[in-house]
Amino acid sequence: MNELWILYLLCCVTAIFILRKIAIRLRLSKAKHKSMRGHSKWSRRIAGWIKFFDYSPAEYFCVDGAPADISKQRSNAFNTLVDKVKQQSKKTINQYKQVSNDISDVQFTSMYRVPFPFRTHLPEVFKLGSMINQSQGVRVKDLDDQWRYDLSGSYGVNVFGYEFYKSCIKQGSEKVEALGPALGSYHPLIADNVSKIKAISQLDEVSFHMSGTEAVMQAVRLARYHTKRTHLVRLCGAYHGWWDGVQPGIGNRRKTNDVYTLADLSEQTLNVLSTRDDIACVLINPLQAFHPNADSASDASLIASDRATHFDKAAYTTWLKRIRKICTDRNIVLIFDEVFTGFRLSYRGAQGYFGIQADMVTYGKTLGGGLPVGVLAGKHELMKRFKDTHPVDVSLARGTFNSHPYVLGAMNVFLERIAQPEIQALYKTVEQTWQQRTTRFNQRLKEADLPIKITNMHSILSVSYTLPCAYNWMLQFYLRANGLELSWLGTGRFIMSFDYTDEEVDQVIELFIESATQMKNDAWWWQSPALTNQSIKQQFLKDMLSASFPSLRKWIGGRAPTTLTHAKTTNSDKVYE
């Protein structure tokens, strides 16, 4: 009888243990966003299954079911735009061609300017990126002496305007020119820089790195080192650099699974943070407030017209405060990745903008005064790289160019200048200024009867499309041909510098209106009762599945094999005759 009771108790304990494990796993699963972005392992698997396909010249201009006359009109407009760009940019195109096969980043960005089935027959002049040799105010100049208004923001570096950073670099170089690029030792400017960064971040210590990605790497390593916990939590869609350790989905080949990607603005996520004991840190990219649970918008993923942003400052502030409390209660390190938002959203970056104090903050881009840098600020107890009682147990982080004298010089000028009264006054009004400009932008779009809406978070803008369309990605080429400089993401994000005047913004708006009107007149936004965002995406999915699983084509309903060709290159700039 006693043996039976012991066996019964063992079975009960085992069942409770298993049920508890299942409950913990279910809690984690519920906290993941339902999209593939929230399921890193599955996104990697599915990415490996998807085969390349392209639309043939006969299909290229009518994948949305447009009739022959509309297809022909689009083709003619397409070729006319190609000819215009070739005439505008002969020197720039030739120079870019010389480097395109030698620089891997150029090859990547050239291939990902449009959804991939349109890539093969995209003319080379559209694939090529920018080659510029001068900036002046809010404009940049290419090798053919064409000036364009810059909407790219230099990946976020350009907060205050190119003239501002040119002077930071020049004055900073003069401060350190007697030393030159001496490395290992510190230039004495480092003390003043550290003092200023500590005051801005309201944290205790600072370390210098060569990029924002490196600063994030160090923050995460130190959080794990000091908490003795294994896992990082990132929010769905958030970008924290190209390092595998914070990019667990597509593009990551690490076998280690030590990152939880959880849903933004989710009670289930708070539940996981409140109950798990393996979480070392929560990594926040404050820009995610602009598009919670979504990746940064890119024309390469612009299949239909369902791009959207959902910025609600009050709601996101409340959300971050709740995360802050849980992190405090559970001894989880709260890290703000301010590589992009630092010194843009406010003098204290997102910490000041949302009113949240983090345990660690990473900076980059603009803080270098125009030169590359990564900076980590944190609490004393988190920044220490060794343990007093275990001298061999260290968290090593060094770099040849950490604290480079010329970077320290430009940074010093930058920090001095943004503390001046005129910049401090600018910080108080800049958000309202860009809100008013966005409202004016949308009013002009409405007056012109264009199917476009501009959304913004502070001085960061994005383009949304209000009619179903499979060709919204074409707008980037019209904009560039008419004098607007975009990043390789296209219309997904415009990063505006603070030195834009109202008159210059009005010029940008009118050039945008002109470009979109041309696109409208060229029939890219043709409509039919059967055309919906859902129908466009469904057909794209069928085509993709048909290419990946040819034996299932007749059940899937994808396009015929003759329209799904293998990857190839074309030397022609004429797609359709």
Side-chain angles (χ1 to χ4, degrees):
M1 178 68 78
N2 288 338
E3 291 177 352
L4 290 175
W5 271 106
I6 292 172
L7 181 61
Y8 174 75
L9 287 173
L10 286 174
C11 289
C12 288
V13 170
T14 302
I16 291 171
F17 177 79
I18 293 173
L19 289 173
R20 182 174 180 273
K21 287 288 187 181
I22 292 173
I24 291 172
R25 180 62 198 177
L26 286 174
R27 185 184 300 129
L28 182 62
S29 296
K30 288 180 179 180
K32 294 182 178 181
H33 193 258
K34 60 184 179 180
S35 69
M36 280 296 100
R37 291 182 297 273
H39 295 78
S40 301
K41 293 180 182 178
W42 274 107
S43 69
R44 291 199 300 271
R45 292 190 188 106
I46 292 174
W49 296 339
I50 295 172
K51 300 291 181 61
F52 178 84
F53 72 92
D54 60 2
Y55 294 120
S56 69
E59 295 277 359
Y60 200 90
F61 299 106
C62 56
V63 297
D64 56 353
D69 61 327
I70 295 297
S71 180
K72 183 63 174 177
Q73 185 179 353
R74 289 170 172 174
S75 172
N76 292 338
F78 193 79
N79 290 329
T80 298
L81 189 58
V82 168
D83 290 338
K84 179 179 179 180
V85 173
K86 289 173 68 175
Q87 290 300 315
Q88 284 180 335
S89 308
K90 290 180 180 179
K91 293 180 181 178
T92 302
I93 290 170
N94 289 334
Q95 184 70 29
Y96 206 85
K97 284 181 179 179
Q98 291 182 27
V99 302
S100 60
N101 291 326
D102 302 323
I103 303 175
S104 58
D105 191 56
V106 169
Q107 297 164 27
F108 179 82
T109 56
S110 295
M111 290 293 103
Y112 287 89
R113 295 183 185 278
V114 301
F116 72 82
F118 298 97
R119 172 197 301 173
T120 299
H121 299 293
L122 191 72
E124 193 170 24
V125 297
F126 286 170
K127 292 180 183 179
L128 299 179
S130 296
M131 186 75 70
I132 56 178
N133 59 14
Q134 188 176 346
S135 65
Q136 187 176 82
V138 295
R139 299 189 301 161
V140 293
K141 181 172 71 69
D142 68 13
L143 307 188
D144 297 271
D145 296 328
Q146 294 181 101
W147 287 94
R148 295 188 183 91
Y149 288 98
D150 180 45
L151 311 186
S152 73
S154 290
Y155 291 113
V157 171
N158 188 15
V159 176
F160 298 102
Y162 289 121
E163 305 309 317
F164 178 97
Y165 294 96
K166 288 185 209 176
S167 64
C168 286
I169 293 171
K170 182 179 179 181
Q171 293 174 34
S173 297
E174 292 170 354
K175 287 189 174 188
V176 301
E177 63 182 352
L179 178 61
L183 305 176
S185 301
Y186 294 118
H187 190 282
L189 280 177
I190 196 169
D192 190 38
N193 289 352
V194 167
S195 177
K196 288 179 168 63
I197 294 169
K198 285 172 58 179
I200 291 169
S201 65
Q202 294 185 13
L203 291 165
D204 306 323
E205 290 187 25
V206 175
S207 64
F208 294 91
H209 306 274
M210 290 178 279
S211 69
T213 291
E214 278 198 7
V216 172
M217 291 170 68
Q218 176 65 351
V220 172
R221 289 185 68 201
L222 286 172
R224 286 179 170 140
Y225 177 67
H226 287 291
T227 63
K228 298 181 180 180
R229 298 174 185 172
T230 55
H231 279 67
L232 154 78
V233 167
R234 65 187 283 274
L235 298 179
C236 181
Y239 180 74
H240 298 283
W242 51 263
W243 172 43
D244 283 351
V246 291
Q247 189 188 39
I250 296 171
N252 180 4
R253 294 294 179 263
R254 290 201 326 161
K255 297 296 183 183
T256 304
N257 296 307
D258 53 10
V259 178
Y260 295 135
T261 297
L262 305 183
D264 217 341
L265 297 170
S266 167
E267 291 294 327
Q268 298 296 336
T269 292
L270 298 180
N271 194 12
V272 167
L273 294 176
S274 300
T275 54
R276 293 194 71 94
D277 295 323
D278 59 348
I279 297 173
C281 56
V282 178
L283 188 55
I284 300 289
N285 181 344
L287 186 59
Q288 208 62 22
F290 193 22
H291 42 77
N293 293 306
D295 296 331
S296 176
S298 166
D299 285 355
S301 58
L302 196 54
I303 303 300
S305 297
D306 51 356
R307 176 192 287 169
T309 58
H310 305 281
F311 179 53
D312 184 331
K313 183 177 180 180
Y316 213 79
T317 299
T318 300
W319 164 248
L320 291 177
K321 286 182 177 179
R322 295 180 71 187
I323 290 178
R324 171 69 277 180
K325 184 178 187 307
I326 292 172
C327 286
T328 300
D329 294 343
R330 300 285 296 171
N331 195 31
I332 298 170
V333 180
L334 179 60
I335 305 171
F336 266 28
D337 177 357
E338 295 239 41
V339 171
F340 188 94
T341 56
F343 306 98
R344 175 176 288 273
L345 297 185
S346 77
Y347 180 59
R348 296 195 60 236
Q351 287 196 113
Y353 187 70
F354 291 109
I356 310 292
Q357 179 62 51
D359 300 313
M360 286 180 154
V361 179
T362 62
Y363 299 107
K365 298 189 188 295
T366 198
L367 177 56
L371 296 179
V373 73
V375 170
L376 170 63
K379 295 180 176 179
H380 281 306
E381 61 269 23
L382 295 173
M383 296 291 285
K384 195 170 186 179
R385 300 180 186 179
F386 63 93
K387 295 181 179 177
D388 293 325
T389 56
H390 297 82
V392 183
D393 185 359
V394 300
S395 180
L396 185 64
R398 293 293 297 160
T400 304
F401 290 103
N402 291 4
S403 308
H404 191 288
Y406 283 89
V407 175
L408 291 179
M411 182 189 301
N412 190 253
V413 178
F414 174 86
L415 289 168
E416 286 177 347
R417 291 190 61 180
I418 64 171
Q420 297 303 309
E422 61 269 23
I423 299 293
Q424 292 297 308
L426 177 62
Y427 273 128
K428 294 178 181 179
T429 61
V430 67
E431 181 178 20
Q432 183 181 4
T433 296
W434 280 104
Q435 187 60 52
Q436 292 170 346
R437 289 171 174 176
T438 302
T439 299
R440 189 161 74 251
F441 205 151
N442 282 315
Q443 182 60 38
R444 284 291 292 116
L445 289 167
K446 184 177 180 180
E447 291 170 357
D449 192 27
L450 293 167
I452 293 174
K453 181 181 179 182
I454 305 297
T455 58
N456 75 299
M457 174 182 173
H458 201 271
S459 51
I460 306 155
L461 281 60
S462 186
V463 179
S464 298
Y465 300 89
T466 60
L467 286 178
C469 179
Y471 295 97
N472 291 315
W473 48 266
M474 272 298 301
L475 181 58
Q476 62 180 300
F477 305 120
Y478 283 88
L479 293 174
R480 189 174 190 278
N482 287 323
L484 299 179
E485 182 77 8
L486 280 60
S487 75
W488 70 280
L489 296 176
T491 62
R493 183 180 291 172
F494 299 159
I495 307 169
M496 309 303 290
S497 57
F498 292 177
D499 61 331
Y500 263 98
T501 65
D502 286 339
E503 292 75 20
E504 288 166 336
V505 171
D506 287 341
Q507 282 293 311
V508 168
I509 292 173
E510 293 311 312
L511 291 172
F512 191 102
I513 297 291
E514 178 184 349
S515 304
T517 300
Q518 290 173 2
M519 182 163 166
K520 178 182 178 181
N521 293 339
D522 289 338
W524 297 103
W525 286 310
W526 167 86
Q527 294 292 294
S528 77
L531 189 66
T532 65
N533 287 329
Q534 185 176 8
S535 70
I536 293 169
K537 291 189 294 183
Q538 284 178 345
Q539 186 60 58
F540 180 86
L541 180 61
K542 290 176 182 179
D543 295 343
M544 184 169 61
L545 292 175
S546 294
S548 301
F549 307 101
S551 61
L552 302 178
R553 183 175 291 119
K554 66 179 181 179
W555 291 284
I556 293 171
R559 297 176 198 274
T562 55
T563 66
L564 295 171
T565 61
H566 294 292
K568 56 186 177 295
T569 59
T570 176
N571 293 322
S572 174
D573 281 330
K574 300 291 186 182
V575 174
Y576 185 89
E577 296 292 351

